[in-house]
Amino acid sequence: MWRLKIGEGNGPWLQSSNGFLGRQVWEFDPNAGTPEERAEVERLREEFTKHRLEKRESRDLLLRLQYAKLNQFQANAPTMKIEKSSDVTEELISASLRRALNQFSSLQAHDGHWPSDYSGILFIMPILILSLHVTGALNIVVSSEHRREICRYIYNHQNEDGGWGKQILGPSTMFGSCLNYATLRLLGEVPDASNVALAEGRKWILSHGSATAIPQWGKIWLSIIGIYDWSGNNPIIPELWLVPHYLPIHPGRFWCFTRLVYMPMAYLYGKKFVGPITPTILALREELYNTTYDEVNWKNARSSCAQKLTYSTYIISRSVECTSSVIDALMMFRDQHPLYRNNEIEGCVQKAALFIESKQQKDGSWYGTWGICFTYGTMFGIKGLTIAGRTYDTSSSIRRACKFLLSNQQPTGGWGESYISSENEEYVDSGRPHAVNTAWSMLALIYSGQVERDPIPLHRAAKLLINMQQDNGDFPQQEHIGCFNSSLYYNYANYHNIFPIWALGEFRRRLILTKK
């Protein structure tokens, strides 16, 4: 049975300046757990696999099983469902918050942090396995139990068409399909008659142009392990790192994530590094192409990329979320130190507020770069402007933002936004309420003064959140809500606890203030 270990580490190759604070490692212990607990784990596995195409997100159920036994907080009273005709009172909100806080406290690790799943990207695991393969460490680092779980993870997130995406949400891509297929093969999976899933994966790759149509990062990785010829890559010139840094083309001027990717890629391209050519690698050379490996036209492959299956592109720019957070930080600092550079801080805050106003969409929303998507961005937009001194009465931007949110409130009382919003750059309703989108929208309206103007929309939203709450006090884990730079979608597992607690708590506080 797998156990989560917190804050541990030793050995000459692993060092920490903070005593491994916050480090999370899952370790397999064959003797851990009772027969009943092991049976429950197996049941949860089977349940996830059975419904993997409808509920793709991990819900940290193994962690919750372990911590329920480890922390043993007092059991929550059963959640009370609020009837449609009933009002949301301070007492009901308080009872919901107590249940939620009790549950969330039980998930806290002994070093103070809240461990959780951080997943969603389907090319991180493959590049780890490919790296272990070329360094000869695969059989040293990856135990048989690790292999079993990694394969289970990859198969669970295979799309219905047989391919894999670059992430759990979204369609199959050549990048995700080739890397995950190669990973399964390196882990010992065999494409025989009994392995339908692997056969379907290969079929998807070949029917969409073969591995020659993988995008650049994939071409590099397949070259490294020896199943794609280096001559099929456009040059990544390592000598560029030797030009004077003041030149605008110096790679050191790239965005940090781009720089950290292309520096090692440039080195490996220059060396034309290839890992060990094993029987599995030779087999992959024949499995991933529509012709024999020796007959592949590598010159043409350089510019080949599967249509409609490439990366989302997004130009890095200053985001509303970051700007709003800086306004918040500066104003909190000024509250603590009112005499320190007050005029400079005020000038900076007002310029930042103008920037936020300039980024508002025509429909009154703000585009969110680090969360999905317009409900997230609009929460930060309204909060930043109100902290800077704007109000609903004085700011047309805040009024337009509130109109956007209220016009998109679902009949359920909540909000639910699809990840497609990030890709289309316009609001796309998911058709069902999402606890986190609902909490973000509630907070935005609360910051704008909605409680004082007309609290009915907030009562409807609060009623929905309370009714979504589970008997143990938890809120449901739903579709991924985290976003990296508008292109990759993550499971920020603590969001579905943090933001509903935050929204209900702030709503309760404002209700009390209005009574006073």
Side-chain angles (χ1 to χ4, degrees), residues 349-359 385 390:
V349 165
Q350 293 309 317
K351 282 192 282 187
L354 290 173
F355 168 80
I356 290 175
E357 290 172 338
S358 73
K359 292 296 181 181
L385 292 180
R390 271 69 159 171

Side-chain angles (χ1 to χ4, degrees), residues 406 409 413 415 442 445 450 454-462:
L406 294 172
Q409 189 172 21
W415 285 262
M442 281 185 69
L445 290 169
Q450 187 72 36
D454 176 15
I456 291 176
L458 292 169
H459 277 280
R460 293 176 60 217

